[in-house]
Amino acid sequence: MCTGKCSKFIAICLYPLALLSIICNIFLFFPDFQTIYSKKEAEGLHRLTDEIKYMGGVGGGILVLIPAIHIHSTGRQGCCMFLSIIFAAVGVAGALYSGTIAAVGLIHGKVVFRNEHLVEKIIERNREPENIVVFNIGLFSALLVAACLELLLCGFQVLNGLFGCICGTCNHKEVCTLDTKVTSFLKVK
């Protein structure tokens, strides 16, 4: 597979992962699919964990979505491979941010209420809302898996971009070998 087609494949895989990250983070703001907890948080009551408010899924998803758009256009046009390396590095940073926030969210657990008293890190008994621990573990786990896949794909794109800068994109059916690069380099001089 040439570097242009590989870029296009990577970008197409990054689109749903970035959207999954954004959607999971938005759902985390609405436990039990209700808005009352977000409204109480806005009133100053501590109803959402800090990891939700850090918006790792939204921030990381956008930091992966923007490079995916550029990488996809790079794959179609077969140019600007150096820029795709820079954008892929931004995607790596976004995936690391999203994955770190998701991992911390899984470690710290959910803020759970029992008779209006704050009790942190309780997983044995769910209180308000019902099944909130399962809800948060599911969404933070989805965020973590998406971030790991985004990290791998953006890391592969960095390597793919480096290879594309050195050998070309192969979009014009040219075969990239060391011999062709050396002879073309010598012809220039």
Side-chain angles (χ1 to χ4, degrees), residues 17 27-28 38 42 75 113-114 185:
L17 292 172
F27 280 160
L28 281 167
S38 296
F113 288 87
R114 181 174 49 207
F185 177 74

Side-chain angles (χ1 to χ4, degrees), residues 104-154:
V104 171
L106 284 171
I107 291 169
H108 284 168
K110 169 67 182 124
V111 174
V112 179
F113 288 87
R114 181 174 49 207
N115 299 331
E116 294 302 318
H117 296 293
L118 180 63
V119 180
E120 292 190 45
K121 299 180 185 174
I122 293 181
I123 295 183
E124 317 74 65
R125 292 175 285 199
N126 301 342
R127 294 294 181 251
E128 182 185 323
E130 192 173 320
N131 297 323
I132 187 60
V133 175
V134 174
F135 184 81
N136 277 0
I137 288 175
L139 289 174
F140 275 128
S141 297
L143 273 172
L144 187 61
V145 168
C148 289
L149 291 173
E150 290 167 350
L151 183 67
L152 283 172
L153 288 170
C154 287

